[in-house]
Amino acid sequence: MELRPYQQKAKDAILNEWDKGVDKTLLVLPTGTGKTIVFAKVIEERVKQGDRCLVLAHRGELLDQAADKLLQSTGLKTAVEKAEDTAIDSWYRVTVGSVQTLTREKRLMQFDKDYYNTIIVDEAHHVISNSYQNVLNYFDQAKVLGVTATPDRGDMKNLGSYFESLAYEYSLPQAIKDGYLCKIKALTIPLTLDISAVCQQAGDFKAAEIGTALDPYLDSIADELVKNASDRKTVVFLPLIATSQKFTRLLQARGIKAAEINGDSPNREQILKEFDKGKYQVLCNSMLLTEGWDCPSVDCIVVLRPTKIRSLYAQMVGRGTRLHEGKDNLLLLDFLWHTEKHELCRPASLISTNQAVASKMTEIAEQSNAEMDLEELEVQASESVVEERENALAEQLAEQRRKKKKLVDPLQFEMSIRSEDLMDYVPTFSWEMAPVSAKQKQALENFGVFSEDIGNQGKAAKLLDRLILRATQGLSTPKQIRLLEQRGFQNVGLWNKEEASNMISRIANNHWRIPYNVNPHDYKPGEMQ
């Protein structure tokens, strides 16, 4: 099986981390981009080197999925460590194992501590839990890969307490741009659902209280679904089985072919197959379908289980992001949740990790009565946020531009290239928190960036990566940015290197004065001036 370019990069990056001696590393791939294929190919490489490998997960569906993909993509068969099945004395070099089974001390002690050389943790955001830590601490000589989709900053901070690096990340917006996932549109429904009295449990809203708070609105929500998605294949996520069953009945009463499944449904597999084939238009569930289930023809998602956890929200929406013949986009019906205490995940959370940009996206979407493409919305919101930030920092930026020093200030560079991720960077892993190294300082100064105001190795590394990428893309250099912005030109970081060089040549040929027909504050490259 030939890997997609980003999958090959991910595989190479993971193996490279292990070769460097970084034994615990992370892979971040959005739902629908083939994370199982990537770690299957990583396992294939490790088996060739003589390793025994363990795929660790908390649900049977994930273990079955991993075993199937391993067989399909590599030909490797797997042993099973779950319930009465055991991998001990198996001929197979790969085991798919249930964390609930392996965490039991009696079961774990049957293995030698060096039995597994490589461990893959699927849905790695669970890795901090005691059950996973028991298993990983027992096999403490193994190399570990954690695989997860779209973690938020809180998730990454938690993961950073165990993992040592992020080997590779492929973002949802990039996957959409590259054509591997479908475009996402959001429609904000002007129906306010009051959950301000709902309490928290384990860092998120209590499902029982959400169900109670949601109940009075189910009729109105059903009307909105019929009005806005009557021609779409829809999955609805709800907080409780009873709420899911009631909402299904309300849809059926409105003539919608709807079905409901839950963990106790005896005919669950049959309903899923029938939904896939088109017998049902809407499938309601109480958080059952967040992992391990795919139906690419789904083109509408309704999240009626509000959450603060971005990875969970991304998993729900990820049920509809896969490509399918005749499917133009995925529609998210987004309701107005009224909550006084907590910031909720909304469609904007999928595209932007920057809270200011996400909030601006939500604000713009709420003012619109139409479906909005999330990528286009993010561009609009980013420009607005950068403009607001530039205005707030105008005096400080002006001072940096006036300074005659040879190196450009990091803040000026970041604002000029409009890099939200650099401006809002927060270190995750322990190595990132260390002071900037002498080698990094020298490299930054070689690029023309003043290094003294950069607080840690992580920020320096991220900045250097961006500088190297810009150099390969032929974009303006920090020195060009400093020289031109000192003379009043705006956002030179968005110019290419040749455009900046041409303007500098014009200024130099004019005795280092601005050409008489050029207004620096309004100038845009390519315009005849």
Side-chain angles (χ1 to χ4, degrees), residues 194-336:
D194 189 354
I195 56 168
S196 57
V198 173
C199 296
Q200 281 192 92
Q201 186 175 41
D204 208 0
F205 297 105
K206 285 186 178 180
E209 292 189 18
I210 286 288
T212 302
L214 190 62
D215 193 74
Y217 303 101
L218 292 178
D219 259 305
S220 299
I221 294 170
D223 289 337
E224 293 292 346
L225 193 151
V226 172
K227 176 183 173 183
N228 294 288
S230 59
D231 59 342
R232 289 182 177 260
K233 191 168 188 175
T234 303
V235 175
V236 185
F237 291 91
L238 298 112
L240 300 172
I241 292 174
T243 317
S244 179
Q245 291 171 336
K246 179 176 179 179
F247 192 64
T248 304
R249 293 193 297 270
L250 291 171
L251 291 174
Q252 290 169 342
R254 287 161 172 77
I256 299 291
K257 293 180 180 177
E260 191 273 339
I261 61 168
N262 58 70
D264 299 325
S265 301
N267 56 344
R268 183 170 65 185
E269 295 301 321
Q270 180 185 345
I271 291 174
L272 289 174
K273 287 178 183 176
E274 290 173 343
F275 176 70
D276 192 18
K277 292 177 181 177
K279 180 177 179 180
Y280 302 108
Q281 183 191 345
V282 179
L283 185 61
C284 300
N285 76 105
S286 55
M287 307 304 290
L288 181 70
L289 302 175
T290 56
E291 299 171 340
W293 173 75
D294 301 320
C295 182
S297 55
V298 169
D299 63 351
C300 181
I301 296 289
V302 183
V303 176
L304 295 179
R305 197 289 183 214
T307 179
K308 297 169 56 186
I309 302 171
R310 188 166 174 256
S311 54
L312 175 59
Y313 187 78
Q315 284 171 328
M316 289 187 272
V317 175
R319 300 310 110 198
T321 53
R322 284 175 170 79
L323 301 175
H324 190 263
E325 186 178 353
K327 177 177 168 180
D328 294 327
N329 56 64
L330 169 66
L331 176 64
L332 303 182
L333 294 188
D334 181 39
F335 293 88
L336 296 172

Side-chain angles (χ1 to χ4, degrees), residues 23 68 165 231 276 295 372 382 388 402 426 445 479:
D23 289 340
D68 289 344
S165 73
D231 59 342
D276 192 18
C295 182
M372 300 198 72
S382 293
E388 290 172 3
R402 282 194 297 268
V426 176
E445 292 184 5
K479 292 178 181 178

Side-chain angles (χ1 to χ4, degrees), residues 70-313:
L70 271 160
L71 184 59
Q72 292 170 18
S73 62
T74 69
L76 290 169
K77 294 183 179 180
T78 55
V80 177
E81 189 68 30
K82 185 178 73 169
E84 69 278 358
D85 296 317
T86 183
I88 293 175
D89 297 329
S90 171
W91 288 97
Y92 301 134
R93 306 294 294 181
V94 185
T95 302
V96 292
S98 159
V99 69
Q100 292 91 336
T101 297
L102 275 168
T103 196
R104 297 175 194 144
E105 185 177 1
K106 185 176 179 182
R107 192 70 170 250
L108 204 51
M109 296 296 288
Q110 294 177 14
F111 291 88
D112 293 333
K113 284 182 67 67
D114 60 353
Y115 190 84
Y116 292 111
N117 315 100
T118 300
I119 298 177
I120 312 294
V121 181
D122 200 2
E123 305 297 347
H125 45 277
H126 298 292
V127 80
I128 308 302
S129 67
N130 290 336
S131 55
Y132 277 89
Q133 286 298 303
N134 287 343
V135 179
L136 294 170
N137 289 337
Y138 186 80
F139 299 115
D140 58 0
Q141 300 303 306
K143 297 185 182 300
V144 181
L145 170 66
V147 186
T148 189
T150 322
D152 60 20
R153 186 170 287 170
D155 285 333
M156 281 303 293
K157 186 175 180 181
N158 290 333
L159 291 171
S161 67
Y162 175 76
F163 292 101
E164 299 165 321
S165 73
L166 174 60
Y168 188 81
E169 180 174 13
Y170 189 56
S171 70
L172 178 64
Q174 192 60 51
I176 294 171
K177 284 181 183 132
D178 292 345
Y180 293 116
L181 294 177
C182 72
K183 286 186 172 293
I184 303 175
K185 293 194 173 185
L187 177 62
T188 300
I189 307 295
L191 176 63
T192 302
L193 312 180
D194 189 354
I195 56 168
S196 57
V198 173
C199 296
Q200 281 192 92
Q201 186 175 41
D204 208 0
F205 297 105
K206 285 186 178 180
E209 292 189 18
I210 286 288
T212 302
L214 190 62
D215 193 74
Y217 303 101
L218 292 178
D219 259 305
S220 299
I221 294 170
D223 289 337
E224 293 292 346
L225 193 151
V226 172
K227 176 183 173 183
N228 294 288
S230 59
D231 59 342
R232 289 182 177 260
K233 191 168 188 175
T234 303
V235 175
V236 185
F237 291 91
L238 298 112
L240 300 172
I241 292 174
T243 317
S244 179
Q245 291 171 336
K246 179 176 179 179
F247 192 64
T248 304
R249 293 193 297 270
L250 291 171
L251 291 174
Q252 290 169 342
R254 287 161 172 77
I256 299 291
K257 293 180 180 177
E260 191 273 339
I261 61 168
N262 58 70
D264 299 325
S265 301
N267 56 344
R268 183 170 65 185
E269 295 301 321
Q270 180 185 345
I271 291 174
L272 289 174
K273 287 178 183 176
E274 290 173 343
F275 176 70
D276 192 18
K277 292 177 181 177
K279 180 177 179 180
Y280 302 108
Q281 183 191 345
V282 179
L283 185 61
C284 300
N285 76 105
S286 55
M287 307 304 290
L288 181 70
L289 302 175
T290 56
E291 299 171 340
W293 173 75
D294 301 320
C295 182
S297 55
V298 169
D299 63 351
C300 181
I301 296 289
V302 183
V303 176
L304 295 179
R305 197 289 183 214
T307 179
K308 297 169 56 186
I309 302 171
R310 188 166 174 256
S311 54
L312 175 59
Y313 187 78

Side-chain angles (χ1 to χ4, degrees), residues 5-7 9-10 13-14 25-29 166-170:
Y6 69 87
Q7 293 173 330
K9 288 179 183 176
I14 293 159
T25 194
L26 269 169
L27 168 66
V28 176
L29 290 181
L166 174 60
Y168 188 81
E169 180 174 13
Y170 189 56

